[in-house]
């Protein structure tokens, strides 16, 4: 059985805890590896070594740093197929979707290649007689990334790309459920010429995370995961004087106006609701048609398309989506579906009844895989768990609204505020919606509005804690501190000590 180790100082590190956890292949339900879990001593070791490596990296000319990142980008691209295959086999998303996971991460590394420009400070001359003021952005030191299972390449790259380009060292604590790709990314960083110790990968759960939070060396924590853990990390980071950006769960709404093209909209929603088995923070698990006629037509079209979906092995090119990540996730999804039926929602497509047409792929049995069929409910109400809870599975809930105002209020008043989409041909209505809705990322006829790397990504309300978003210019603000210098090169005679607040004139 393969063992997945930590990656410290450019080499595999076994750690001292003696603890391991199963890593499954969700497509077959079989254990495919063991991952070592760090104790506090292991984490402290990785952090201490990162602290030794960081000063030289931080003092390196930023152009030289980004040459390493550029080579890293090339190596990841050259190894894309191998990485995507590993990712698909540990996560369960399909091979093309796994490539998308990696590519959206690379987009941010590409953006981070602009570090020399992004790190430029400001300069004001003659702010007083013979006095100039300038600012510089300096690395924080050693920072941490704590990342979720559902994007095991993209989110580590969103963290590491800007943090490393800005001159920090990073201790990355990826999800213990799909840990291989983050290790491989760190290996490729060293292969690209990155100094050993600048990107460390430590596996583990709460004990490892607490060791990061308790460390005096760690200066900042970039977290992505579920809301309760995001809140925990945000609070603990503040207690231990670290800056933090913590992104949490989601329940994104798709609002459909009567003038939308029903077939195209239904296709977009089916892709966004069921793609990656619904395990995306930008998935669309709630659809809100405006008007009964829109709802009836949309419900019929979505149900037909959902029934036609092919669920299968993550490497099967026929699969529209693959299995859920664990048996626990599958049990939880099935329980929420059963409770939705009991609560009185109308079940139009029942994923629990879904069965394989062929129970093998490439000679392997799929019978024990963590598969959930597509589920679609109509007449869901706002008091049901189907509406309030982040299910993180292939379950779509339709909530009927009578007006755009009512639909907008649903998205605005929901606990989560990550993403939202509106489908319409009415530019004025879409513009007003985008201005008014209380959600961080808005799609207009775009079902999954993940902003491009040079804009920023971040949700509102219970979907994000902290004031700076991920990627885009915010990421460089997050991973640097500003120093402002006021300088004078006096040519006049010594005026003696001054005891009042200096006035710049
Ligand atoms: P999770 O919260 O279970 O785990 C995230 C990270 O926290 C992992 O590294 C995990 O090891 C660690 N962790 C887990 N339990 C912990 C504990 N008790 N104490 C300290 N650390 C702990 O999340 P997940 O299941 O891996 O990922 C899915 C979640 O992430 C969903 O809620 C999804 O919406 C969210 N997500 C959000 C975004 C976003 O940008 N807002 C993006 C992707 C995923």
């Amino acid at each position: 059985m393969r063992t997945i180790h930590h990656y410290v100082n450019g080499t595999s590190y076994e750690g001292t805890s003696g603890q391991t956890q199963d890593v499954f292949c969700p497509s077959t339900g079989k254990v495919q590896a063991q991952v070592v879990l760090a104790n506090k001593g292991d984490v402290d070791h990785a952090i201490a070594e990162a602290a030794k490596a960081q000063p030289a990296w931080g003092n390196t000319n930023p152009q030289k740093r980004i040459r390493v990142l550029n080579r890293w980008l090339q190596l990841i691209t050259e190894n894309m197929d191998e990485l995507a295959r590993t990712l698909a086999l540990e996560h369960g998303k399909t091979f093309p979707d796994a490539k998308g996971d990696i590519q959206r991460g690379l987009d941010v590394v590409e953006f981070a290649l602009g570090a020399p420009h992004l790190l430029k400070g400001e300069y004001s001359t003659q702010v007083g007689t013979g006095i100039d003021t300038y600012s510089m952005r300096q690395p924080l030191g050693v920072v941490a990334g704590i990342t979720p299972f559902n994007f095991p390449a993209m989110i580590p790259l969103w963290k590491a790309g800007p943090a490393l380009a800005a001159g920090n060292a990073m201790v990355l604590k990826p999800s213990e459920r799909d840990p291989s790709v983050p290790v491989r990314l760190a290996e490729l960083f060293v292969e690209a010429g990155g100094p050993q110790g600048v990107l460390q990968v430590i596996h583990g759960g709460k004990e490892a995370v607490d060791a990061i939070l308790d460390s005096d060396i760690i200066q900042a924590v970039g977290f992505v995961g579920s809301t309760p853990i995001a809140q925990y990390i945000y609070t603990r980071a503040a207690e231990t004087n670290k800056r933090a950006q913590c992104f949490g769960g989601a329940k994104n709404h798709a609002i459909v106006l009567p003038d939308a093209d029903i077939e195209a909209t239904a296709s977009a929603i089916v892709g966004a609701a069921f793609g990656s088995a619904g395990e995306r923070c930008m998935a669309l698990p709630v659809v809100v048609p405006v008007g009964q006629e829109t709802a009836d037509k949309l419900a019929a079209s979505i149900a037909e398309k959902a029934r036609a979906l092919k669920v299968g092995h993550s490497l099967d090119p026929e699969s529209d989506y693959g299995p859920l990540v664990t048996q626990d996730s599958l049990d939880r999804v099935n329980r929420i579906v059963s409770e939705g039926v009991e609560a009185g929602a109308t079940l139009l497509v029942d994923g629990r009844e879904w069965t394989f047409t062929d129970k093998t792929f490439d000679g392997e049995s799929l019978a024990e895989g963590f598969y959930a069929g597509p589920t679609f409910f109509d007449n869901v109400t706002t008091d049901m768990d189907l509406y309030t809870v982040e299910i993180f599975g292939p379950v779509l809930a339709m909530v009927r609204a009578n007006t755009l105002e009512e639909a907008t209020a649903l998205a605005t008043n929901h606990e989560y505020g990550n993403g939202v989409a509106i489908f319409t041909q009415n530019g004025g209505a879409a513009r007003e919606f985008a201005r008014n809705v209380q959600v961080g990322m808005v799609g207009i006829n775009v079902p999954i509005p993940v902003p491009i790397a040079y804009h920023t990504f971040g949700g509102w309300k219970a979907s994000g804690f902290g004031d700076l978003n991920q990627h885009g210019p915010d990421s460089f603000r997050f991973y640097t501190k500003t120093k402002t210098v006021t300088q004078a090169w006096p040519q006049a005679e010594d005026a003696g000590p001054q005891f009042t607040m200096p006035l710049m004139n």
Side-chain angles (χ1 to χ4, degrees):
M1 176 80 53
R2 186 167 59 100
T3 303
I4 301 159
H5 290 127
H6 313 297
Y7 187 74
V8 173
N9 290 353
T11 188
S12 183
Y13 171 58
E14 203 176 328
T16 60
S17 77
Q19 288 175 7
T20 58
Q21 181 174 316
D22 292 341
V23 176
F24 289 88
C25 170
S27 294
T28 60
K30 289 189 187 135
V31 176
Q32 58 171 322
Q34 298 285 318
V35 60
V36 296
L37 301 178
N39 59 22
K40 180 169 166 27
D42 299 333
V43 176
D44 285 346
H45 169 64
I47 294 172
E49 292 299 307
K52 288 183 200 160
Q54 188 275 329
W57 177 246
N59 279 319
T60 301
N61 164 353
Q63 251 183 312
K64 289 191 178 156
R65 284 202 302 262
I66 62 123
R67 282 181 197 137
V68 172
L69 262 70
N70 198 14
R71 178 82 187 116
W72 191 32
L73 190 73
Q74 286 168 18
L75 286 178
I76 296 171
T77 307
E78 284 165 20
N79 287 274
M80 175 75 89
D81 283 0
E82 171 224 315
L83 286 163
R85 192 184 147 81
T86 306
L87 198 161
L89 286 174
E90 282 187 4
H91 175 284
K93 64 178 72 175
T94 63
F95 180 72
D97 199 26
K99 282 180 150 182
D101 184 328
I102 299 163
Q103 185 55 52
R104 288 307 295 256
L106 288 180
D107 289 356
V108 171
V109 180
E110 266 173 13
F111 170 74
L113 298 183
H117 173 72
L118 289 155
L119 293 172
K120 280 192 303 196
E122 296 173 318
Y123 194 101
S124 299
T125 189
Q126 199 68 354
V127 296
T129 306
I131 302 177
D132 304 327
T133 293
Y134 64 91
S135 62
M136 56 181 103
R137 291 196 166 277
Q138 295 190 318
L140 301 177
V142 184
V143 299
I146 302 171
T147 56
F149 83 86
N150 69 324
F151 280 100
M154 180 181 86
I155 295 180
L157 290 170
W158 283 9
K159 303 291 178 206
L164 299 180
N168 301 285
M170 172 166 273
V171 175
L172 176 67
K173 211 297 297 165
S175 172
E176 61 281 27
R177 283 179 262 177
D178 45 12
S180 291
V181 167
V183 171
R184 190 74 192 109
L185 293 174
E187 287 170 355
L188 292 173
F189 177 73
V190 171
E191 220 176 288
Q196 296 175 2
V198 163
L199 179 55
Q200 317 272 50
V201 181
I202 278 287
H203 307 294
K206 182 168 167 39
E207 186 179 351
V209 169
D210 284 344
I212 288 171
L213 294 169
D214 288 339
S215 165
D216 290 337
I217 297 173
I218 296 289
Q219 298 297 306
V221 182
F223 171 85
V224 178
S226 59
T227 290
I229 311 295
Q231 282 172 313
Y232 170 72
I233 290 177
Y234 192 60
T235 308
R236 286 287 314 277
E239 279 169 8
T240 55
N241 302 323
K242 297 171 178 48
R243 61 173 73 172
Q245 51 171 202
C246 299
F247 298 94
K251 193 80 173 177
N252 305 329
H253 294 43
I255 289 158
V256 184
L257 297 191
D259 65 358
D261 176 329
I262 293 293
E263 285 306 309
T265 303
S267 291
I269 292 172
V270 166
F274 301 113
S276 197
E279 291 175 323
R280 291 185 186 134
C281 71
M282 291 296 275
L284 280 180
V286 178
V287 52
V288 187
V290 172
Q292 298 305 325
E293 198 186 331
T294 315
D296 290 342
K297 284 194 220 156
L298 197 63
S301 180
I302 289 176
E304 189 188 334
K305 292 179 201 303
R307 282 190 200 103
L309 291 177
K310 293 207 172 68
V311 187
H313 194 290
S314 58
L315 297 184
D316 185 344
E318 298 285 306
S319 303
D320 291 310
Y321 71 84
L324 289 164
V325 67
T326 57
Q327 181 67 44
D328 280 354
S329 300
L330 175 60
D331 294 343
R332 181 174 169 275
V333 167
N334 285 337
R335 176 177 54 74
I336 295 172
V337 171
S338 298
E339 287 169 359
V341 176
E342 281 164 31
T346 311
L347 186 57
L348 297 182
V349 183
D350 187 350
R352 296 166 307 170
E353 287 175 357
W354 170 87
T355 48
F356 282 108
T357 43
D358 181 2
K359 273 199 179 173
T360 59
F361 173 74
D362 214 10
E364 284 199 283
S365 168
L366 307 184
E368 303 300 317
F370 312 137
Y371 296 96
T375 293
F376 177 36
F377 282 100
D378 194 357
N379 298 311
V380 173
T381 52
T382 54
D383 55 341
M384 295 178 186
D385 281 1
L386 279 179
Y387 180 71
T388 55
V389 170
E390 181 185 44
I391 302 173
F392 229 52
V395 180
L396 176 60
M398 182 179 273
V399 181
R400 293 176 175 233
N402 292 313
T403 61
L404 173 57
E405 289 68 30
E406 204 185 302
T408 308
L410 283 172
T412 287
N413 295 331
H414 202 282
E415 178 192 4
Y416 295 111
N418 209 40
V420 68
I422 186 167
F423 294 88
T424 180
Q425 304 197 27
N426 182 336
R431 180 178 181 276
E432 279 308 290
F433 171 79
R435 276 171 41 77
N436 293 328
V437 70
Q438 297 299 302
V439 172
M441 291 172 282
V442 180
I444 297 175
N445 299 314
V446 172
I448 302 186
V450 175
I452 194 69
Y454 36 94
H455 285 259
T456 73
F457 179 108
W460 289 7
K461 300 180 281 181
S463 297
F465 306 94
D467 57 340
L468 290 171
N469 278 350
Q470 303 184 92
H471 60 71
D474 271 11
S475 57
F476 278 82
R477 292 188 192 110
F478 182 74
Y479 287 117
T480 56
K481 53 195 173 194
T482 304
K483 184 181 282 174
T484 309
V485 180
T486 301
Q487 69 174 12
W489 299 101
Q491 288 166 0
E493 284 178 15
D494 177 10
Q498 302 293 307
F499 298 102
T500 55
M501 190 66 185
L503 301 176
M504 296 295 186
N505 50 39

